[in-house]
């Protein structure tokens, strides 16, 4: 028994890789799993110690406040001011259960059935399903390498966007690892403002950068006065995907709509987790983040050095923990991922799983320990002759 809504979702394209991985493991062989973007580092000790304390406060054993703990909302406001020079009000912040649920719920809060949602292709699959669940249709925005994996707003302008109500963008980007600069955000803001489209930025990877801090949307969107929301997540920032905590910053009317919807669906994040995260943000953020980035930077450089000798085409990521790599001439993403698993025991993610425009690419995630990343790099480098002869 399944609703028409669920029937509209595409088949789960990673199922074949999962199946191959399982049969590989059953036959007693080991895999180097660079498939999922699920950090292996574990929460920073400062955060675990804070939670060990906050968990005994029984006020947290009751329902938490609707929009989130004031202490965490204020910690977010201090971060926004310190790091991005934006003095945001409490009504511009919402604590979320990671970012996935908030992204998935957004169209239900601000899009009507029959309207449309602009989504990137390749892109995080939840943008599409969230639109479907709200009875909306999707307009896809191709992200091409030749345009730095950004939508082409001039081409988009020639399409029928009369029903468009919301645009999702995601930078730093999963799966391509592309980053946005201020000029790009200004273009997106202007495009949305002139068409009365709300702008949603998924910044789940906003704190995972290497040389240059990433540029968020919110200070610019706020200044421009457009309806917008930007999603942040502690999942990747603090390596706590299992804790389920994130936050959104947005214009007060979008935050109020999403908050109202969520009040009818969930009861927020466990207060002890909120308080522990608030304390960590207030006291340890600037010490923790360089440590985490340093670990990923080493892995990134190790993998990039091997891939550079493999004959595969890729850009060294400036942010996120993903490498987005072209398959050898003519190989489909599924075919090449199957080859990597069968030949080298490496689990990679086929690009087509992120949308039709992801075909011809595969993704590797450096969320496995450095030795695993190094060994995967060595094995791919050793395929050089076969890649050249493909
Ligand atoms: C682009 C993007 N957005 C959002 C999420 C959701 O993460 P979480 O719900 O753990 O914050 C993910 C998870 O992989 C992601 O890749």
């Amino acid at each position: 028994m399944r609703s028409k809504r669920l029937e509209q979702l595409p088949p789960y394209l990673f199922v074949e890789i999962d199946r191959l991985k399982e049969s590989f493991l059953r036959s007693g062989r080991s895999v180097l799993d660079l498939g999922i973007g699920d950090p292996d580092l574990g929460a920073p000790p400062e955060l675990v110690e804070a939670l060990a304390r906050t968990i005994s406060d029984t006020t947290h054993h009751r329902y938490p406040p609707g929009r989130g703990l004031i202490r965490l909302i204020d910690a977010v406001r201090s971060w926004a001011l310190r790091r991005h020079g934006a003095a945001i009000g409490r009504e511009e912040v919402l604590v979320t259960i990671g970012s996935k649920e908030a992204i998935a719920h957004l169209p239900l809060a601000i899009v009507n059935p029959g309207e449309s949602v602009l989504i990137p292709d390749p892109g995080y699959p939840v943008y599409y399903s969230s639109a479907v669940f709200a009875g909306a249709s999707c307009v896809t925005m191709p992200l091409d390498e030749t345009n730095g994996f950004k939508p082409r707003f001039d081409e988009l302008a020639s399409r029928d966007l009369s029903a468009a109500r919301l645009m999702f963008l995601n930078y730093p980007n999963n799966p391509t690892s592309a980053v946005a600069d201020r000029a790009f955000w200004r273009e997106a803001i202007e495009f949305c403002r002139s068409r009365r489209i709300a702008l949603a930025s998924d910044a789940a990877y906003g704190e995972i950068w290497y040389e240059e801090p990433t540029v968020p949307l919110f200070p610019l969107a706020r200044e421009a006065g457009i309806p917008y929301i930007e999603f942040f997540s502690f999942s990747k920032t603090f390596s706590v995907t299992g804790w389920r905590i994130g936050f959104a910053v947005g214009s007060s009317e979008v935050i109020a709509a999403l908050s109202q919807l969520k009040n009818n669906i969930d009861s927020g994040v466990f207060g002890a987790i909120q308080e522990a995260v608030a304390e960590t943000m207030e006291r340890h953020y600037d010490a923790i983040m360089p440590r985490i980035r340093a670990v990923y930077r080493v892995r990134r450089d190790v993998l990039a050095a091997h891939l550079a000798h493999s004959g595969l085409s890729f850009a060294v990521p400036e942010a996120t923990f993903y490498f987005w790599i072209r398959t050898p001439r003519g190989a489909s993403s599924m075919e090449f991922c199957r080859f990597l698993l069968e030949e080298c025991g490496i689990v990679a993610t086929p690009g087509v799983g992120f949308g039709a425009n992801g075909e011809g690419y595969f993704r590797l995630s450096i969320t496995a320990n450095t030795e695993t990343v190094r060994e995967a790099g060595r094995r791919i480098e050793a395929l050089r002759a076969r890649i050249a002869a493909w």
Side-chain angles (χ1 to χ4, degrees):
M1 207 182 106
R2 216 177 265 255
S3 71
K4 292 204 171 86
R5 256 175 248 112
L6 285 180
E7 281 169 4
Q8 281 183 61
L9 299 186
Y12 180 61
L13 282 164
F14 305 127
V15 79
E16 182 173 358
I17 292 295
D18 286 351
R19 193 180 52 74
L20 283 170
K21 178 179 149 189
E22 286 311 312
S23 73
F24 219 77
L25 292 171
R26 267 200 311 276
S27 68
R29 289 175 290 180
S30 65
V31 297
L32 304 175
D33 196 344
L34 305 189
I36 324 172
D38 190 357
D40 61 311
L41 304 176
E46 295 91 333
L47 179 55
V48 175
E49 280 158 28
L51 182 61
R53 261 178 284 111
T54 58
I55 203 165
S56 12
D57 178 349
T58 55
T59 54
H60 292 320
H61 299 185
R62 312 185 73 180
Y63 289 120
R67 284 197 181 191
L69 227 61
I70 290 298
R71 183 170 176 192
L72 179 54
I73 289 174
D74 285 348
V76 167
R77 293 171 64 221
S78 312
W79 162 86
L81 187 61
R82 198 177 72 246
R83 168 115 145 69
H84 302 291
I88 59 175
R90 285 180 177 162
E91 70 290 356
E92 294 171 79
V93 182
L94 178 64
V95 174
T96 60
I97 311 173
S99 57
K100 186 180 193 175
E101 66 84 9
I103 292 166
H105 285 137
L106 179 67
L108 282 174
I110 65 168
V111 178
N112 295 304
E115 293 178 334
S116 64
V117 178
L118 292 128
I119 61 166
D121 176 3
Y124 183 52
V126 176
Y127 311 136
Y128 177 81
S129 36
S130 71
V132 166
F133 293 159
S137 56
C138 284
V139 176
T140 53
M141 303 183 289
L143 306 186
D144 291 326
E145 191 167 345
T146 52
N147 199 43
F149 298 112
K150 307 280 186 347
R152 288 182 206 276
F153 292 116
D154 48 349
E155 277 178 17
L156 208 53
S158 64
R159 294 167 68 181
D160 178 11
L161 299 180
S162 51
R165 174 56 83 104
L166 169 68
M167 174 189 287
F168 276 113
L169 289 173
N170 164 224
Y171 296 98
N173 185 260
N174 175 18
T176 70
S177 83
V179 294
D181 60 12
R182 281 186 181 73
F184 171 76
W185 284 132
R186 289 206 180 95
E187 218 187 325
I189 288 169
E190 201 35 54
F191 186 90
C192 290
R193 187 225 302 269
S194 60
R195 291 168 181 78
R196 297 170 172 275
I197 295 171
L199 183 50
S201 157
D202 175 357
Y205 298 91
E207 294 293 336
I208 310 297
W209 47 264
Y210 300 105
E211 279 75 32
E212 291 284 322
T214 61
V215 180
L217 166 74
F218 78 88
L220 297 164
R222 224 175 146 254
E223 214 175 274
I226 60 160
Y228 83 97
I229 187 163
E230 187 157 42
F231 299 103
F232 294 87
S233 175
F234 293 105
S235 287
K236 322 282 171 167
T237 307
F238 286 159
S239 314
V240 289
T241 48
W243 290 31
R244 311 312 303 139
I245 180 157
F247 64 91
V249 174
S251 46
S252 51
E253 75 273 34
V254 178
I255 292 287
L258 183 56
S259 172
Q260 185 187 355
L261 182 93
K262 281 169 55 56
N263 278 338
N264 285 279
I265 293 179
D266 65 65
S267 299
V269 177
F270 181 25
I273 291 181
Q274 294 194 52
E275 180 136 26
V277 166
E279 185 183 310
T280 305
M281 268 191 109
E282 288 159 5
R283 296 176 43 192
H284 306 293
Y285 207 62
D286 297 339
I288 290 172
M289 291 320 297
R291 242 164 43 205
I292 293 177
R293 290 183 196 114
V295 175
Y296 288 131
R297 192 180 296 113
V298 168
R299 295 177 183 177
R300 177 197 67 158
D301 293 346
V302 162
L303 186 58
H306 284 292
L307 289 178
H309 293 109
S310 70
L312 291 168
S313 163
F314 69 100
V316 179
E318 292 170 41
T320 77
F321 30 64
Y322 299 124
F323 279 70
W324 185 239
I325 308 165
R326 260 187 188 283
T327 56
R329 263 183 312 277
S332 78
S333 61
M334 194 61 93
E335 183 185 359
F336 195 68
C337 287
R338 204 182 297 120
F339 170 79
L340 279 181
L341 186 56
E342 283 165 357
E343 292 291 320
C344 315
I346 294 171
V347 179
T349 306
V352 72
F354 298 97
N357 226 47
E359 187 48 278
Y361 292 87
F362 67 99
R363 192 191 75 178
L364 292 178
S365 172
I366 52 172
T367 46
N369 68 47
T370 309
E371 268 327 295
T372 302
V373 171
R374 192 187 309 281
E375 181 54 26
R378 274 197 202 112
R379 292 185 195 179
I380 295 175
E381 186 178 341
L383 293 173
R384 185 182 171 79
R386 297 184 67 185
I387 288 169
W390 203 280

